[in-house]
Amino acid sequence: SGTHARISEGFEKLRRTLLRTANSVLLIDDFRDFIEAARNNGTTHLINAVMRDVLTGRYQCILEARDEDLEIVLKCHSNMREVFTLLEIREPDPDALKEIALVGAGRLTAHHGVPVTEQAIAAAIDLTSKYHVGDLSLSRAQPERTLNLIDRALTSYRQTVHRRPPHLARLRATLAEIEALPDAARSADIVRQRDELQGMLATAETDWAAKTDRLTALRNAQRSGEELLLALEEQLSGERQKERAEAAPTEAAPTFSARLSGGAGFGSREENRILQEIRQATTAIADNKRAFDTLQEEMNAGLALGAAAVTLEFSAISGIPAEKLNQDEREKLLTLDQTLKARVYGQDHAVEKLVGAVLMANAGLKEPDKPQGSFMFCGPSGVGKTEIAKTLAMALKDNEKAMLRFDMSEYMEKHALAKLIGAPPGYEGYEAGGILTNAVRRNPHSIILFDEIEKAHPDVFNVFLQVLDDGRLTDNRGLTVSFANTLILMTTNIGQAHFLNADLQFAAAMEETMRDLEGTFRPEFLNRFNGRQNIIGFRTLPLELIEKIANRELRKVNARIRAAGHAVTIAMAPEQVSALCADRYDPVHGARGIPGFFAAEVYPSIARTILSAPETAGTLDVRYHADDGGRVEIVAT
């Protein structure tokens, strides 16, 4: 009841201030928290008071809520939808984001005492816009992602340079160069220069150590002073409560002159003593803070956060190697076709079309209201339809998991459409929104793969029509999501029999497959793929390409062995690889059978060999016995 009274009293004071002030505005940040606090403390009448004041025009009101909390906010009052206008706040465009980041970086500079270069701001914007990592501080919307990255980079950079100051590093590097000279090349001047550098280094190290110790002492003193001040304030509060409890309600209050003659002033002697100590502590804290800021400014002189420090911090958070993050974006795009062809064999025609769409989008030549590209991949299983999507995600985002993958066998029922765009009003989970719309709202630059689309319910294709044509989709809550920066890939096994028919050439198989597609999908859906130009057939893989895939699996095995810390390497003779592929390859299953064979036979055999003889080192020969049921033998060479 005491909490209820205090909250009500505090809100009434705020409300009176708003009513006395002309053209006043009440802004409630994260309104869901306000609703829950009101319900938990029995003060839901405050919500009604706000609604009543807004309805009568006493002041303006702005409520802020996250997407996932929207339905809870709209249900908190019956007039919410009628009184308030729903306005979706999107992430700022690149120019606005840069301006916001510049202002935010100025505040962070004042806090950390280290200036932020424009190159560092540009790097932070680029990295947080291109990559979405699971770290909580970097998973929110812009500009918060950019400012959080700069803040964390400043902290790491400041700690690093305080441990290894640049001026000391330069002296050590110069001294190391002199020490590396052969004795014959060391003249008297070089020896004298070395001795001077050693003296300078010793003096600089001593001076820096003293400054570091002094900074630590000032930081500890600041913490102790703040703890003392908090304790004194609690002591003062306790003393005043004690005086109120001891004062007799019927006792006449002493006169002003009586209080002064008693030596207590406006409070007791104990209260005045505590107040005096508080004043002294406050002064000491302020003096200590000035000394700390002065010393820190001296130690930070000449420092500046650059793009390299931001990249290193992002690499530490995301796990993406810094050299990949530093790779020039233009170079990455211009070599994209080579990157894809290195992992997807025998489908050069599909790679070139896909890369063409990516380059066109990055050059700003795509249609503004459509996705960057929309493709349908047809062909047998295991020929690279899904692999090309994974490779593209790895090439552009440095992470295969950056791709959004939807297995359309999970959307065979009519009601499954609610998973993509959200449940209808009144159904459970309505306020959560849809999986697809939420994912694209969080990451507008997604690569989206819809696998085996022929298995989806026909109603799902109504959603695809809007996405592929208009580049946008409205979820169940009325929020519109833009797909203009996404790349949409779909796969289907329709027409597989035609591609596996040895009597049909590829062009004829593609024609038959198009007829099958026309019998399955509506013409307007097929026409969304760039007038059917982006419906691409994948060829069956010849045996020589299957052998390349087998050799790639061998390299993967060796990479795993090295990662596990074992001193062995495996090898397989070319004729053994050929025998394996000829015996195990089935065009119906495609290339998947080869990695499956390695997982089921080769890896267990190697693991048994390593565990039975842990001291094994050198090269192990993998032999495949086709005449013995496909037995795998591991032989030490």
Side-chain angles (χ1 to χ4, degrees):
S1 59
T3 303
H4 175 281
R6 286 196 301 273
I7 293 174
S8 298
E9 181 182 355
F11 186 81
E12 282 303 319
K13 289 181 180 178
L14 170 64
R15 185 167 171 268
R16 285 194 296 269
T17 302
L18 288 167
L19 296 177
R20 286 196 304 266
T21 307
N23 301 320
S24 57
V25 179
L26 172 63
L27 172 62
I28 303 181
D29 186 29
D30 203 340
F31 192 59
R32 176 177 176 172
D33 286 351
F34 183 87
I35 294 170
E36 292 182 350
R39 289 172 177 170
N40 293 338
N41 292 285
T43 55
T44 52
H45 64 282
L46 301 182
I47 300 173
N48 295 329
V50 171
M51 293 298 296
R52 185 169 57 251
D53 290 342
V54 173
L55 278 169
T56 55
R58 296 187 174 186
Y59 51 78
Q60 298 293 318
C61 184
I62 299 174
L63 309 179
E64 185 272 333
R66 300 184 183 94
D67 286 345
E68 59 268 25
D69 301 333
L70 182 59
E71 190 58 23
I72 295 174
V73 171
L74 293 177
K75 284 182 177 178
C76 76
H77 195 279
S78 58
N79 290 334
M80 187 65 68
R81 292 180 184 270
E82 289 76 18
V83 174
F84 287 90
T85 300
L86 184 62
L87 179 63
E88 184 178 6
I89 306 300
R90 301 179 183 274
E91 291 189 354
D93 59 51
D95 292 337
L97 178 57
K98 184 178 180 180
E99 290 183 15
I100 295 170
L102 284 169
V103 175
R107 292 197 297 267
L108 292 172
T109 294
H111 174 71
H112 290 275
V114 176
V116 182
T117 64
E118 290 191 8
Q119 293 80 6
I121 295 173
I125 291 173
D126 181 60
L127 292 171
T128 55
S129 298
K130 187 188 304 180
Y131 302 96
H132 287 248
V133 298
D135 184 271
L136 289 178
S137 66
L138 300 185
S139 62
R140 300 172 71 87
Q142 292 283 30
E144 191 170 354
R145 291 200 305 272
T146 295
L147 296 177
N148 282 338
L149 176 58
I150 294 174
D151 187 17
R152 294 178 64 156
L154 277 168
T155 301
S156 299
Y157 174 71
R158 187 159 47 88
Q159 292 174 347
T160 300
V161 296
H162 281 190
R163 286 195 303 268
R164 296 186 294 273
H167 66 286
L168 295 184
R170 287 192 293 270
L171 284 173
R172 292 191 186 106
T174 305
L175 190 59
E177 290 177 3
I178 295 176
E179 294 287 358
L181 292 174
D183 292 339
R186 295 186 183 182
S187 63
D189 289 339
I190 291 178
V191 172
R192 185 172 59 256
Q193 183 183 3
R194 182 200 62 186
D195 294 341
E196 289 175 357
L197 284 172
Q198 287 176 341
M200 292 170 59
L201 179 60
T203 302
E205 286 177 340
T206 302
D207 180 60
W208 188 262
K211 287 180 179 179
T212 303
D213 293 342
R214 174 64 176 159
L215 192 71
T216 302
L218 289 170
R219 183 183 295 111
N220 293 337
Q222 190 75 9
R223 184 182 302 111
S224 299
E226 291 170 354
E227 291 174 355
L228 173 62
L229 183 61
L230 180 62
L232 288 171
E233 288 174 346
E234 291 178 352
Q235 189 177 350
L236 178 63
S237 176
E239 181 65 24
R240 287 174 173 172
Q241 289 179 2
K242 178 182 176 182
E243 287 183 10
R244 285 195 296 268
E246 292 177 351
T250 57
E251 183 180 347
T255 64
F256 178 76
S257 58
R259 290 180 62 85
L260 289 178
S261 62
F266 287 101
S268 67
R269 289 187 177 85
E270 180 65 16
E271 182 178 337
N272 287 336
R273 182 191 64 79
I274 297 172
L275 286 170
Q276 179 64 23
E277 291 186 11
I278 287 176
R279 285 191 290 270
Q280 293 172 353
T282 302
T283 302
I285 289 172
D287 293 341
N288 190 86
K289 181 68 166 57
R290 281 192 292 272
F292 179 87
D293 290 343
T294 300
L295 180 57
Q296 183 172 250
E297 184 178 350
E298 181 183 343
M299 295 177 70
N300 291 341
L303 300 180
L305 182 74
V310 172
T311 302
L312 286 174
E313 181 66 18
F314 189 83
S315 176
I317 296 170
S318 65
I320 303 173
E323 57 271 15
K324 285 191 175 183
L325 296 173
N326 284 324
Q327 185 179 359
D328 183 73
E329 189 67 20
R330 291 175 66 251
E331 178 188 352
K332 186 184 293 187
L333 290 171
L334 292 174
T335 59
L336 182 59
D337 56 343
Q338 301 171 25
T339 305
L340 297 186
K341 289 175 183 178
R343 274 186 58 176
V344 181
Y345 301 137
Q347 312 297 348
D348 291 359
H349 62 296
V351 168
E352 289 167 3
K353 278 205 170 186
L354 186 58
V355 170
V358 173
L359 295 180
M360 188 170 65
N362 280 272
L365 302 179
K366 79 172 189 71
E367 294 187 50
D369 296 329
K370 292 184 181 296
Q372 290 188 1
S374 51
F375 293 84
M376 180 188 292
F377 298 146
C378 315
S381 177
V383 294
K385 300 192 300 294
T386 304
E387 183 70 13
I388 197 172
K390 292 180 179 179
T391 307
L392 184 64
M394 187 68 187
L396 296 180
K397 310 291 185 182
D398 296 311
N399 188 355
E400 288 183 5
K401 295 181 180 179
M403 174 185 67
L404 297 176
R405 181 174 179 177
F406 295 87
D407 188 343
M408 302 314 290
S409 62
E410 300 177 6
Y411 299 88
M412 300 175 65
E413 303 295 335
K414 181 179 178 66
H415 61 78
L417 178 62
K419 294 181 184 178
L420 293 176
I421 63 173
Y427 285 79
E428 183 179 358
Y430 168 73
E431 65 277 359
I435 298 174
L436 174 61
T437 50
N438 287 346
V440 175
R441 184 179 288 109
R442 286 193 298 268
N443 184 5
H445 298 267
S446 299
I447 298 171
I448 310 173
L449 174 65
F450 297 101
D451 220 358
E452 299 184 346
I453 59 168
E454 72 276 6
K455 295 181 179 179
H457 190 274
D459 285 359
V460 173
F461 294 97
N462 295 328
V463 171
F464 289 156
L465 287 175
Q466 183 180 353
V467 170
L468 297 176
D469 190 41
D470 299 332
R472 61 185 178 86
L473 188 61
T474 303
D475 68 8
N476 62 329
R477 297 168 297 178
L479 301 177
T480 301
V481 181
S482 173
F483 284 73
N485 293 312
T486 63
L487 187 67
I488 298 176
L489 310 176
M490 299 185 182
T491 70
T492 177
N493 290 326
I494 292 176
Q496 174 174 290
H498 304 307
F499 291 100
L500 294 174
N501 188 346
D503 297 330
L504 289 177
Q505 296 292 327
F506 178 75
M510 193 64 208
E511 288 181 7
E512 293 297 326
T513 299
M514 286 300 301
R515 293 191 183 95
D516 291 349
L517 291 173
E518 290 170 353
T520 305
F521 303 117
R522 289 181 290 175
E524 58 267 30
F525 174 68
L526 298 176
N527 292 338
R528 293 296 197 275
F529 297 94
N530 196 23
R532 307 193 183 189
Q533 296 301 309
N534 288 349
I535 299 178
I536 303 173
F538 275 53
R539 304 174 186 273
T540 53
L541 301 178
L543 199 57
E544 57 268 21
L545 292 182
I546 298 300
E547 292 177 10
K548 289 182 67 175
I549 293 172
N551 285 318
R552 185 177 68 191
E553 290 302 312
L554 283 170
R555 293 192 293 271
K556 286 184 180 179
V557 174
N558 281 322
R560 288 197 192 180
I561 292 174
R562 286 194 302 271
H566 300 297
V568 297
T569 303
I570 68 163
M572 197 170 184
E575 60 272 14
Q576 293 286 314
V577 174
S578 299
L580 164 66
C581 294
D583 190 40
R584 290 285 175 172
Y585 174 53
D586 182 356
V588 174
H589 301 129
R592 287 196 177 97
I594 302 303
F597 175 79
F598 272 81
E601 302 293 339
V602 177
Y603 280 102
S605 299
I606 295 170
R608 190 176 296 108
T609 301
I610 292 174
L611 292 175
S612 61
E615 70 282 357
T616 301
T619 302
L620 301 178
D621 192 21
V622 180
R623 298 179 183 175
Y624 179 78
H625 299 279
D627 54 353
D628 191 12
R631 182 172 61 88
V632 172
E633 182 183 11
I634 307 295
V635 180
T637 58

